[in-house]
Amino acid sequence: MNVLFIEDDRMNRRVVKDMLDVAGADMVEAETAERGLEIIGEQDFAIVLVDLRMPGMDGITAIQHIRARADAKANVPIIVVTADIAPDLRERCLAAGADEVIFKPVAMDELFDAMGAILARDAARGGMIA
């Protein structure tokens, strides 16, 4: 399984990569939302993980760009990974097109539960895993 993590913090990327390694998943890293959007254009992913607060383009805007694509990549499952605890955060993320929201510090069971639920849902709909 190929996963893209759009996150500006190197340590957060490392922690999630170590978790995904345990599951045998391959993780591609993007330090900015702009770079993440470029990578999505170049590769297929089973899931995209995206932080909300990054320099330049934020995660909500990145999600909106992904969902606005004119190809099948617009439907890639997206999980927001954030430390933001604003009361309406989950609703804003889902309205932008995210499939799920998990909070930092990332717990392996929460990450795998969210990924598993999304992949099971997509498999039931006939989706493909990259």
Side-chain angles (χ1 to χ4, degrees), residues 23-118:
D26 295 315
M27 187 181 97
V28 175
E29 302 176 24
E31 293 181 17
T32 66
E34 294 86 355
R35 180 64 185 134
L37 295 174
E38 290 173 10
I39 293 170
I40 287 170
E42 300 164 359
Q43 298 180 45
D44 293 328
F45 295 96
I47 291 183
V48 173
L49 308 174
V50 63
D51 183 26
L52 289 185
R53 298 190 186 276
M54 296 177 282
M57 183 185 300
D58 67 15
I60 294 279
T61 305
I63 293 167
Q64 292 168 333
H65 280 276
I66 294 167
R67 294 300 184 228
R69 292 182 61 96
D71 58 17
K73 294 179 181 188
N75 299 317
V76 65
I78 300 172
I79 299 174
V80 170
V81 180
T82 185
D84 193 333
I85 57 170
D88 65 340
L89 176 83
R90 181 175 177 75
E91 292 76 23
R92 286 188 297 128
C93 292
L94 296 177
D99 294 281
E100 187 55 83
V101 179
I102 61 174
F103 297 93
K104 297 176 186 173
V106 177
M108 187 181 299
D109 61 336
E110 289 179 57
L111 176 61
F112 290 173
D113 287 350
M115 290 174 63
I118 289 169

Side-chain angles (χ1 to χ4, degrees), residues 1 19-26:
M1 174 177 27
M19 291 179 191
L20 292 173
D21 284 348
V22 169
D26 295 315

